[in-house]
Amino acid sequence: MSIWKQSTELARINAWSANTMMQTLDIRFTDVGDDWLRGTMPVDPRTRQPFGLLHGGASVVLAETLGSTAALLTLDIEKELAVGLDINANHIRGVTAGVVTGTARAVHLGRTTQVWEIRIENEEGALVCLSRLTMAVIAARGGIPASLRA
């Protein structure tokens, strides 16, 4: 059974990234299942640190992007929104090139909080980063940005 309360059409979700950090880092939503959301990010000069490895902060940006987008998709945005409360990340393995893929899965979908686990893997499927994101569910106040509608 699907956890989503909104359309999970990938073109729609990817359009939300226009003029944001996600566009700058070329983060793309690539797949969605009944209870998970997946996306990719290149490992290139935009996302590497000075030693040539994937920057831990870039991994956190991918994790938060996937988890917060997934959280939003579980809500009726006319009534409530999700905002980041806490994120942590364990960096397991270095990556110097290619593409990393993250998958966000709900651990807890409560009335006032959500917890998401995001696994980021390299092209061989080896774990690169394991992240946990806690989201606060709040009342929607004011207008919803047009980019999030439909």
Side-chain angles (χ1 to χ4, degrees):
M1 186 167 119
S2 177
I3 62 174
W4 313 122
K5 291 186 179 175
Q6 297 182 52
S7 164
T8 56
E9 196 255 321
L10 291 172
R12 172 184 178 257
I13 300 168
N14 277 305
W16 295 347
S17 296
N19 302 310
T20 68
M21 181 185 294
M22 290 82 76
Q23 181 179 23
T24 300
L25 298 182
D26 198 20
I27 292 173
R28 296 178 189 233
F29 299 97
T30 59
D31 254 329
V32 63
D34 284 343
D35 64 352
W36 53 267
L37 179 65
R38 183 170 294 141
T40 61
M41 180 179 67
V43 180
D44 65 18
R46 294 170 293 178
T47 58
R48 282 192 288 249
Q49 41 93 312
F51 296 111
L53 296 169
L54 175 63
H55 194 292
S59 293
V60 172
V61 169
L62 177 59
E64 184 147 1
T65 297
L66 291 168
S68 62
T69 301
L72 186 66
L73 290 169
T74 69
L75 302 173
D76 176 350
I77 61 171
E78 297 296 329
K79 298 177 183 172
E80 53 194 1
L81 301 172
V83 294
L85 192 60
D86 182 67
I87 189 165
N88 72 38
N90 294 106
H91 306 291
I92 310 296
R93 173 177 282 104
V95 180
T96 59
V99 174
V100 291
T101 300
T103 304
R105 289 184 190 275
V107 175
H108 168 72
L109 297 176
R111 186 177 54 78
T112 59
T113 61
Q114 296 185 3
V115 179
W116 292 83
E117 179 183 87
I118 303 93
R119 294 178 61 88
I120 300 174
E121 300 174 343
N122 65 18
E123 292 176 319
E124 289 75 43
L127 185 62
V128 170
C129 177
L130 182 60
S131 182
R132 187 184 68 239
L133 173 66
T134 303
M135 302 292 292
V137 177
I138 62 170
R141 296 182 191 111
I144 305 303
S147 63
L148 295 180
R149 293 187 182 276

